[in-house]
Amino acid sequence: MKSRPLLSAVIATAMLALSLPGALPAVAAPAPDNWQKVLEEANGQTVYWNAWGGDARTNRYIAWVAEQMQADFGVEVEHVKLDDTSSAVARVLGEKQAGNDDEGSIDLIWINGENFAAMREQDLLFGPFADTLPHFALTDPDNNPEVVTDFTLPTDGYESPWGKAQITFYYDSAQVDAPPQSIDALLEWAKQNPGQFSYPRIPDFTGSTFLKQALIELSDQDDALYQPVEDSDFAEITAPLWAYLDELHPHLWRSGRSFPDSGPNLRTLMSDGELSLAFSFYPTDAAVAVMEYELPESVRSYVLEDGTLGNVHFVAIPYNSPHKAGAMALANFLLSPEAQARKQSLDMWGDRSVLAISQLDDSDQALFEQGEQHPSALPVDALSNTLAEPHPSWMTALQDAWLERYVVN
Amino acid sequence: MLRYVPILMIALLVIPVTAGLGMVLLPAFGYLPVLGGEQLSLAPWQALFSQPGLWRSVAFSFTSGLASTALALLIVVLFLAASQGTWLDRSLRRLVSPLLAIPHAAVAFGFAFLIAPSGLMARLISPWPSGWQSPPDALIVNDPWGLALTFGLVLKEAPFLLLMSLAALPQLQADKRLQLARSLGYAPTIAWLKVILPSLYPLIRLPVYAVIAYATSVVDMALILGPRLPSTLSVSILGWFNDPDITRRFMASAAAVLQLGVTLAALIGWWLLEQLICRCSRHWLTNGSRRRGAATLTVAGRGSLALTSLSALAALVGLALFSVAGFWRFPEFLPQSLVLDHWQRSAAMLAAPLVTTGVIALVATGLATLLVVAALENEQRQHLHPRRALWLLYLPLLVPQIAFLFGLVVAAEQIGVRPQLSLVIAGHALFVLPYVYLSLGESYRRLDPRWLQIAQSLGVSRNRAFWKVRLPLLLAPLLTAVAVGLAVSIGQYLPTQLLGAGRVTTVTTEAVALASGGNRRLIGVWALVQAGLPLIGFIIALTLPRWLGAPQRGSAR
């Protein structure tokens, strides 16, 4: 048996050596300063848009976008549904590894946070392009730094903002009278209601966000969290977090011996009656779930008193995309008042707009006026208190430390 | 021409697997220039061995793989020993192929909902007589011992092993042997175990090994049912390959090589077990005891397969209920209202993936069947003994998918083959072909050679005899093999996703993508569609030969 892997290693090495390409010129990128030219080039292109496909509403919205792009710009949009965004990062890397520098399989990625940081670090993104999109100015970046910052990293035009998310708690008002209003209160609540709350297993995105939320509330080291983790004493800053979790876990769902898989999984457990308090990264999640029979109508949403973590999510173009013009036209359309208003409506998706709505002209503002507020949704003014994301290195460090502590050896 | 087919077939199966393995082996030892890995090192292994819970992951993969295979085999053997042609036995046999057709992920979803604390079984006894107003806080699915995963695997493996056994049995002339044994006073069940089993096992050994390899490295079922802190090795590997921290790929590659080792260790462990049982049972086989334990074995044999089939069916019923459920909360046994919203909303999204799924499955299975038939026909004409080269055919089934697919994508890129539909089809054929061969081989060799001798003695050419005599006589097993091939193709997730760059959307990739969203109602819709598709193939395989009046031969009985 030994000889076969060895043989194949030899074959593979030979293949590697043979295929080393000469330095290929980067694919002719569209000149972003001439928007008309970009649109002309985009016409007729097919844009492969890699975006998480786990939510039917997101998928429906992207399908609507695809129709608009076809009708208005002659761009065909194919939604490549991912179960995990990082697999798209891995794919671009694989292509770079194989010397595929201009025929990549991905034209646009829905991305943010550590995935973006990783792609930037490995030089896998095309740009800067975002600031040249005609609609980008509608986000009023000078006054809204969150649309040009991703987990403390400047986007430098390598990502174009798409929507906003923020941790939002929800509970069944028929079962719970006074839901906890802070991370400390949550511990007390869990002790009184054992097995009724949980958070997704690390390294899930939503679960990791919960760790950061708790860390921000439990430590007074706010400044340190916004610098690379190497610059501060990780053990000391996170000590209160681990003490808190050690105390919390025995009172969680399944006594903390297992954790749900993902944010949406919390919703399913809530729907089964296994949890009575949960949270989501999408403020409208609970209302939407009620409309789709997943949660009882008595569900209500709220954010913690001192605010919750929020962030902006983006779209980015891989460096080897063969359809950059189409991808830029799509990114620009996603920022149009029409597309943003559609996305924000509960019937479509319920994802918050990144546009500076008060700066828009009247007719565009009117697009965002929603009808009656859904009783399970968060009141509009509840999201004013948003905490910023720590530096991405904290997320990775927290994940590793959590796994080290709580995975059974 | 025909004589080159076996070589072609083996090359088609062996080259991709070894190329893929090679492309994983290099980074496992630190060589991946694009990430700055310029020279060989053991750093990836050091990183791997410092992962929390690694050895537990390895232990899960090893034990759940061996335990589920042993249990499934035991169920199948006892059932065959105990089944003596009653009504129940015949219905169970008929149920087997459809159960085989249901994709693993769909079974896992349904099974999870069946046994969860808030699932169907708990609802059946709640609130009365259990007194549960809300679900008990019990760790059943994702349990730390991997039991849910083990039983979930049994649900899928038992039908496969039964089908393989039923295909192999006729060549043992079981009826004659049993009659002889019974005339010597052996109880039917005991007679089967002592007289048939020792000659049957060697015939189904390869399928058993394929099952072990599959069970030790399964991804989709382990994602749904497996333990969490830590996960099985295969699930951890997927996570590391997909980690945004791209340098983890070195460690992931090392882990993929480790997975190969775990699967190999499980196979060796099983082989040792075989030797042990063989040694220990020698006395029992020849001690002349004719009746002891017969009644217990009979009940156990029928009961366990019935229970397995019932669990799988109940899992499907749960999925079906969810696909039309309005609000449905514990402890209600049925949904408050039934709605068609979920189906209506999915309908528009279903069309394109359905077409793609069908095209891939048909082309891959067609190609595979063509090659298999050509190889088998060559074997017959050259009077070859099939055993040795067979092991190579099983390479794609014995080497864990997760160990070579990531490397295969890189290897394909390397020679300039971009992810696309045809690459996905080729990837599917890699897994479909061995299964088609497994399903068809025995029936093909068993066909009485006198049929063809008579035809040729009447002046019919060999080729004409093949078309006019052999194929019609083999129609039923051929269609069954095709149906198995279609089912295998439709269930493939990892190859579709990786080789298609996610652009090739099938019902299965959609179902798994939706699964990450956790909406049970939509999962129900897609899982049912996913389960229904291969069923069509099996229904055609069962009814078409009868309708055409073809002889009832082989495994499709």
Side-chain angles (χ1 to χ4, degrees):
Chain A
M1 263 329 267
K2 270 239 156 74
S3 65
R4 195 171 300 136
L6 193 71
L7 179 70
S8 58
V10 172
I11 295 172
T13 319
M15 282 165 58
L16 262 176
L18 284 174
S19 63
L20 284 177
L24 285 169
V27 80
D33 47 349
N34 186 345
W35 189 249
Q36 204 48 48
K37 192 98 192 301
V38 172
L39 287 186
E40 276 167 29
E41 209 175 309
N43 197 326
Q45 287 187 342
T46 300
V47 175
Y48 289 96
W49 182 7
N50 285 40
W52 181 63
D55 186 63
R57 301 174 70 83
T58 315
N59 297 349
R60 198 185 318 160
Y61 177 69
I62 292 177
W64 173 82
V65 168
E67 279 170 33
Q68 305 301 309
M69 287 301 293
Q70 182 64 265
D72 296 352
F73 304 100
V75 174
E76 192 174 343
V77 175
E78 291 277 351
H79 179 190
V80 177
K81 300 188 184 76
L82 305 174
D83 62 339
D84 187 347
T85 302
S86 49
S87 60
V89 181
R91 171 160 290 284
V92 179
L93 176 82
E95 288 170 355
K96 187 173 182 185
Q97 178 186 344
N100 176 3
D101 289 328
D102 47 15
E103 280 293 319
S105 56
I106 302 174
D107 298 309
L108 196 72
I109 309 187
W110 178 16
I111 196 175
N112 76 338
E114 50 174 349
N115 286 316
F116 172 70
M119 289 194 86
R120 277 291 279 156
E121 201 171 309
Q122 302 286 341
D123 257 333
L124 297 176
L125 289 179
F126 162 77
F129 76 96
D131 2 24
T132 58
L133 303 178
H135 286 143
F136 182 71
L138 301 179
T139 62
D140 193 10
D142 295 339
N143 296 309
N144 295 300
E146 75 265 25
V147 299
V148 288
T149 323
D150 190 355
F151 280 47
T152 73
L153 296 184
T155 61
D156 290 334
Y158 284 83
E159 296 185 296
S160 166
W162 188 28
K164 273 184 191 172
Q166 179 161 356
I167 291 187
T168 306
F169 284 76
Y170 57 93
Y171 63 100
D172 186 350
S173 62
Q175 292 178 333
V176 178
D177 291 333
Q181 296 294 329
S182 69
I183 288 294
D184 278 324
L186 178 65
L187 178 60
E188 291 313 310
W189 187 90
K191 284 180 180 170
Q192 282 153 24
N193 303 275
Q196 308 271 299
F197 176 77
S198 191
Y199 62 90
R201 176 177 53 107
I202 309 307
D204 173 76
F205 184 75
T206 312
S208 309
T209 310
F210 176 79
L211 293 190
K212 288 185 283 183
Q213 171 77 34
L215 182 62
I216 291 175
E217 277 200 50
L218 295 168
S219 73
D220 355 309
Q221 300 282 336
D222 282 3
D223 293 344
L225 300 182
Y226 297 92
Q227 309 296 327
V229 70
E230 305 84 68
D231 299 351
S232 42
D233 188 346
F234 181 75
E236 191 197 314
I237 293 177
T238 56
L241 174 67
W242 309 123
Y244 176 87
L245 292 180
D246 287 345
E247 206 178 336
L248 177 69
H249 280 189
H251 308 289
L252 291 182
W253 178 78
R254 307 285 183 257
S255 314
R257 288 183 298 145
S258 183
F259 289 82
D261 288 332
S262 63
N265 203 218
L266 286 177
R267 189 177 61 208
T268 311
L269 288 173
M270 184 95 166
S271 136
D272 289 341
E274 298 203 10
L275 302 179
S276 56
L277 173 70
F279 63 97
S280 165
F281 219 48
Y282 294 96
T284 53
D285 209 18
V288 166
V290 170
M291 289 164 72
E292 296 189 345
Y293 311 100
E294 276 201 277
L295 292 177
E297 284 167 7
S298 47
V299 161
R300 295 293 175 268
S301 304
Y302 73 104
V303 290
L304 301 181
E305 264 167 14
D306 292 331
T308 53
L309 263 183
N311 66 33
V312 171
H313 44 99
F314 299 83
V315 290
I317 303 174
Y319 83 105
N320 62 352
S321 150
H323 311 117
K324 295 192 177 79
M328 287 168 69
L330 174 55
N332 188 52
F333 174 74
L334 293 177
L335 283 173
S336 67
E338 183 196 9
Q340 287 278 313
R342 274 279 184 152
K343 180 158 63 66
Q344 188 163 311
S345 82
L346 272 193
D347 298 328
M348 198 50 145
W349 179 3
D351 191 50
R352 286 197 303 147
S353 173
V354 289
L355 301 187
I357 295 173
S358 58
Q359 310 280 314
L360 300 176
D361 61 38
D362 289 350
S363 62
D364 283 344
Q365 279 195 36
L367 291 172
F368 288 87
E369 273 162 24
Q370 306 246 338
E372 218 170 301
Q373 180 75 18
H374 193 285
S376 299
L378 208 56
V380 189
D381 52 353
L383 286 170
S384 51
N385 199 353
T386 307
L387 305 174
E389 286 280 358
H391 189 272
S393 57
W394 279 89
M395 182 130 151
T396 321
L398 282 174
Q399 288 170 344
D400 289 345
W402 191 94
L403 292 170
E404 192 70 49
R405 281 187 86 90
Y406 297 116
V407 169
V408 188
N409 259 307
Chain B
M1 257 282 278
L2 217 48
R3 76 181 56 191
Y4 297 112
V5 170
I7 297 169
L8 174 73
M9 199 158 85
I10 285 168
L12 283 179
L13 295 179
V14 174
I15 290 174
V17 177
T18 39
L21 276 181
M23 284 317 215
V24 156
L25 215 57
L26 287 176
F29 290 96
Y31 187 79
L32 188 63
V34 69
L35 280 185
E38 302 277 350
Q39 48 196 332
L40 298 181
S41 83
L42 287 176
W45 293 92
Q46 282 153 1
L48 177 65
F49 291 143
S50 68
Q51 283 302 307
L54 178 77
W55 296 112
R56 252 183 105 98
S57 296
V58 168
F60 286 146
S61 298
F62 185 81
T63 51
S64 63
L66 278 189
S68 63
T69 311
L71 203 55
L73 187 65
L74 192 71
I75 289 172
V76 167
V77 164
L78 285 183
F79 169 75
L80 286 172
S83 95
Q84 305 290 336
T86 65
W87 167 84
L88 180 68
D89 300 333
R90 277 195 300 274
S91 341
L92 279 177
R93 281 183 192 212
R94 234 172 259 152
L95 207 62
V96 164
S97 329
L99 283 185
L100 191 68
I102 309 169
H104 286 81
V107 171
F109 281 127
F111 186 59
F113 178 59
L114 190 66
I115 60 170
S118 55
L120 269 187
M121 264 158 58
R123 288 172 198 237
L124 189 64
I125 54 163
S126 297
W128 188 90
S130 69
W132 293 330
Q133 287 297 334
S134 58
D137 193 15
L139 189 51
I140 298 177
V141 181
N142 312 130
D143 63 288
W145 298 102
L147 294 179
L149 174 62
T150 305
F151 288 118
L153 282 165
V154 169
L155 291 191
K156 278 301 294 173
E157 288 166 358
F160 174 65
L161 289 178
L162 184 58
L163 195 74
M164 289 298 131
S165 307
L166 289 176
L169 268 178
Q171 63 175 317
L172 296 176
Q173 298 177 317
D175 291 346
K176 274 185 204 157
R177 292 194 196 193
L178 276 176
Q179 257 170 13
L180 189 67
R182 291 179 67 172
S183 71
L184 291 172
Y186 282 88
T189 310
I190 302 287
W192 196 94
L193 288 176
K194 289 195 173 185
V195 179
I196 310 290
L197 182 60
S199 2
L200 174 67
Y201 183 73
L203 296 180
I204 57 167
R205 182 187 252 145
L206 266 179
V208 168
Y209 283 17
V211 163
I212 296 171
Y214 182 84
T216 47
S217 62
V218 59
V219 173
D220 47 3
M221 283 193 112
L223 271 173
I224 299 160
L225 295 171
R228 284 287 180 271
L229 298 174
S231 318
T232 65
L233 183 61
S234 54
V235 171
S236 303
I237 293 174
L238 191 66
W240 293 329
F241 266 117
N242 286 336
D243 200 288
D245 176 4
I246 302 169
T247 50
R248 290 227 165 154
R249 294 206 109 197
F250 290 112
M251 185 180 84
S253 304
V257 177
L258 179 64
Q259 172 72 67
L260 188 64
V262 171
T263 300
L264 211 63
L267 288 173
I268 292 171
W270 183 270
W271 181 80
L272 289 174
L273 213 64
E274 274 177 15
Q275 305 302 312
L276 189 73
I277 289 175
C278 185
R279 217 157 265 248
C280 296
S281 62
R282 219 167 269 165
H283 170 70
W284 180 75
L285 284 175
T286 53
N287 69 356
S289 163
R290 287 158 162 79
R291 305 219 151 246
R292 203 142 52 97
T296 323
L297 287 173
T298 310
V299 172
R302 291 190 183 159
S304 51
L305 190 73
L307 193 68
T308 312
S309 316
L310 265 179
S311 306
L313 274 186
L316 271 193
V317 169
L319 285 178
L321 272 177
F322 250 117
S323 78
V324 291
F327 187 61
W328 189 15
R329 189 167 223 185
F330 191 87
E332 294 152 4
F333 186 62
L334 291 173
Q336 283 178 4
S337 60
L338 297 180
V339 294
L340 284 175
D341 291 31
H342 321 309
W343 282 94
Q344 281 163 356
R345 257 182 278 152
S346 307
M349 307 269 200
L350 272 167
L354 267 179
V355 172
T356 319
T357 311
V359 168
I360 295 172
L362 286 172
V363 178
T365 309
L367 277 174
T369 312
L370 210 68
L371 281 171
V372 167
V373 169
L376 286 169
E377 181 64 16
N378 179 60
E379 186 186 296
Q380 293 291 308
R381 291 189 187 180
Q382 313 282 331
H383 304 287
L384 295 173
H385 195 67
R387 287 291 157 209
R388 230 167 262 284
L390 218 60
W391 284 87
L392 287 176
L393 278 182
Y394 292 99
L395 205 60
L397 304 191
L398 295 177
V399 178
Q401 284 192 356
I402 195 139
F404 74 91
L405 275 178
F406 279 95
L408 184 57
V409 175
V410 179
E413 282 279 351
Q414 214 85 56
I415 52 171
V417 180
R418 302 278 176 253
Q420 52 187 298
L421 189 68
S422 52
L423 194 61
V424 174
I425 292 176
H428 278 218
L430 203 58
F431 302 101
V432 170
L433 201 146
Y435 280 108
V436 171
Y437 195 88
L438 264 176
S439 311
L440 191 59
E442 286 312 321
S443 312
Y444 210 95
R445 295 186 193 114
R446 219 172 47 235
L447 186 74
D448 197 332
R450 282 170 296 188
W451 288 112
L452 287 125
Q453 285 160 10
I454 293 171
Q456 281 177 305
S457 71
L458 291 174
V460 177
S461 76
R462 270 214 298 207
N463 287 342
R464 212 172 133 74
F466 169 79
W467 292 108
K468 289 283 169 189
V469 179
R470 194 190 284 279
L471 279 193
L473 281 172
L474 283 173
L475 184 65
L478 198 65
L479 285 176
T480 304
V482 168
V484 169
L486 293 177
V488 168
S489 166
I490 290 164
Q492 296 293 327
Y493 171 68
L494 216 48
T496 319
Q497 190 66 11
L498 291 178
L499 299 172
R503 287 180 181 186
V504 178
T505 334
T506 65
V507 177
T508 299
T509 61
E510 288 284 289
V512 176
L514 273 176
S516 65
N519 184 334
R520 280 236 187 94
R521 288 157 179 82
L522 288 177
I523 292 172
V525 170
W526 284 85
L528 277 187
V529 172
Q530 201 198 3
L533 268 185
L535 212 55
I536 300 173
F538 277 99
I539 290 170
I540 293 175
L542 280 178
T543 52
L544 193 65
R546 262 169 230 197
W547 189 62
L548 290 175
Q552 296 292 301
R553 269 177 181 278
S555 55
R557 263 192 299 204

